[in-house]
Amino acid sequence: MLKLKPDRTRDTVGQISFCSLPFTKLILNSYGDVSMCCHQLTQLGSIKGDTTVLELWNSSLAKEIRGETSKGNLHPVCTSSNSCPYILKDKPMGPHPMYRNAAYPTYLEICLPDKHCNIGGENPSEDNPACIMCKRNFEILDQEDVTDMLYEKAKPLMPYLTELCLLGVAEPFWKDAVFNMYEKVEFHRYKHHIRFTTNTNGTCLNERMAHRFFNETTYSSLSWSLDAATRETHIKLRRLDALDLVVENLRKWIELREDYGGKDNHKISIYNNINIINLHEMTQMVEMAVDIGVDYMIMLPTYEQNGIVKLGEMLLCEKNVGLFKEISEKAMERAGELGLDLRYQNRFDKVPPPFKEPKLVQLS
């Protein structure tokens, strides 16, 4: 273990691995369960009750996952869902900074309740539906709001973090959720060494919100999920006629960040899920990203979220993989022509394995 106030230069080492997350990241989901990655359906355990976050971070299962990852292997926990990019991607080994002996995570993600979203509201219905590719459009489980408990459990980790994320199947800027978290974890004490990250649909991020955020956040990396290049497609996917509003908010955000350290302090990207509805707009999305002036762009195929998102052949599958491959290659070529940093988080030219209910992971 490390002293109370770590020296990040002295107390970090380079871990050789293809994936950094088992050595650096923890996710506290909205049910009180803990994992290292959103692709891990099998959890390390629950922090409800007396169990601390660090007890699970240093558990036998956590150490077993790190051991397999350091050997270049995917542990069964990492394939408990079918969405991990490394199931299909190469696994090049390289050094990743972590605390000595992985004593603490450096990256903490806290998830809001699944009901916390302005699109569809707390109880999506036919008259007020969630986004078409969101699991809230198919399944809303009744869940206890344990957010304050998650914040309380997270507070002891704050001195050790370099990155803090507020996410979940939710909109983090709705009802000032980001600022509520800042208050509960005393973010102001640590904001000069922690970068705040999240994904947002952008509808809430007006100029007033931007000024408040920049005043309370020294470093950030925000991904804006537009998922469309035209108004018509945005309405089909997001159920809102709001693309013009989101683009206006994004342009203003980029303009205002110049008064708060510019892109060195505040990174901005567009993060688009791709399915049959918006596949034909991939190249246009690239051109839009360049016109808006974001720092980079991420695209990935919409996935079924462990069998919950039932969109059938609208998702990447054997029948359409050739089309996904062709259009994604054209979009990447266009990005190269325009000088856009375009990243494909998952492959567009290969279909992921079918989802299977995970088996209980046995500890060695």
Side-chain angles (χ1 to χ4, degrees), residues 1-8 10-11 100 104 159-160:
M1 303 294 281
L2 304 177
K3 61 187 185 304
L4 182 61
K5 294 183 179 180
D7 182 323
R8 287 170 185 79
R10 185 181 62 225
D11 293 333
R100 212 172 47 243
Y104 296 91
Y160 305 98

Side-chain angles (χ1 to χ4, degrees), residues 283 286-288 290 333-340:
T283 297
V286 167
E287 295 168 346
M288 172 182 280
V290 173
E333 180 181 356
R334 185 61 173 147
E337 293 171 352
L338 297 176
L340 175 68

Side-chain angles (χ1 to χ4, degrees), residues 20-227:
S20 67
L21 300 189
F23 306 92
T24 60
K25 185 175 181 180
L26 264 185
I27 299 176
L28 313 184
N29 77 16
S30 57
Y31 294 89
D33 298 319
V34 178
S35 67
M36 300 159 160
C37 173
C38 63
H39 301 297
Q40 293 178 340
L41 186 58
T42 301
Q43 305 291 300
L44 297 178
S46 173
I47 52 172
K48 288 185 175 180
D50 296 331
T51 304
T52 68
V53 177
L54 281 178
E55 285 174 335
L56 295 179
W57 175 250
N58 291 298
S59 66
S60 297
L61 179 54
K63 292 175 181 178
E64 187 177 293
I65 294 169
R66 291 186 196 111
E68 285 301 304
T69 308
S70 66
K71 297 174 185 176
N73 303 323
L74 280 170
H75 188 278
V77 165
C78 300
T79 58
S80 56
S81 178
N82 64 338
S83 57
C84 173
Y86 288 112
I87 295 175
L88 301 178
K89 290 169 60 176
D90 294 335
K91 298 191 284 292
M93 303 290 281
H96 300 281
M98 69 168 191
Y99 280 120
R100 212 172 47 243
N101 300 318
Y104 296 91
T106 61
Y107 182 174
L108 181 66
E109 179 180 313
I110 303 174
C111 297
L112 292 165
D114 292 353
K115 294 184 176 184
H116 188 90
C117 191
N118 60 319
I119 301 179
E122 295 182 350
N123 295 290
S125 63
E126 291 186 6
D127 295 330
N128 186 31
C131 300
I132 193 172
M133 65 286 192
C134 176
K135 79 171 191 176
R136 301 172 70 252
N137 188 45
F138 301 88
E139 174 184 278
I140 292 290
L141 300 178
D142 187 24
Q143 63 177 154
E144 176 189 6
D145 188 346
V146 298
T147 310
D148 285 347
M149 182 271 290
L150 298 181
Y151 295 155
E152 190 64 29
K153 294 274 189 170
K155 280 178 68 174
L157 297 179
M158 293 297 291
Y160 305 98
L161 299 180
T162 59
E163 194 160 352
L164 176 65
C165 179
L166 185 65
L167 206 55
V169 186
E171 170 49 48
F173 288 97
W174 191 45
K175 297 184 178 180
D176 291 342
V178 167
F179 305 115
N180 181 53
M181 181 198 68
Y182 279 5
E183 179 182 352
K184 294 295 177 65
V185 301
E186 299 180 343
F187 182 72
H188 65 280
R189 297 178 58 189
Y190 312 102
K191 67 178 185 177
H192 296 299
H193 67 76
I194 296 178
R195 183 177 295 274
F196 173 76
T197 70
T198 193
N199 294 347
T200 175
N201 62 45
T203 54
C204 301
L205 298 186
N206 55 30
E207 186 171 351
R208 178 195 62 80
M209 182 74 77
H211 281 295
R212 181 178 180 184
F213 177 81
F214 288 133
N215 279 320
E216 297 189 29
T217 312
T218 305
Y219 304 103
S220 71
S221 182
L222 264 59
S223 295
W224 295 58
S225 295
L226 274 62
D227 296 319

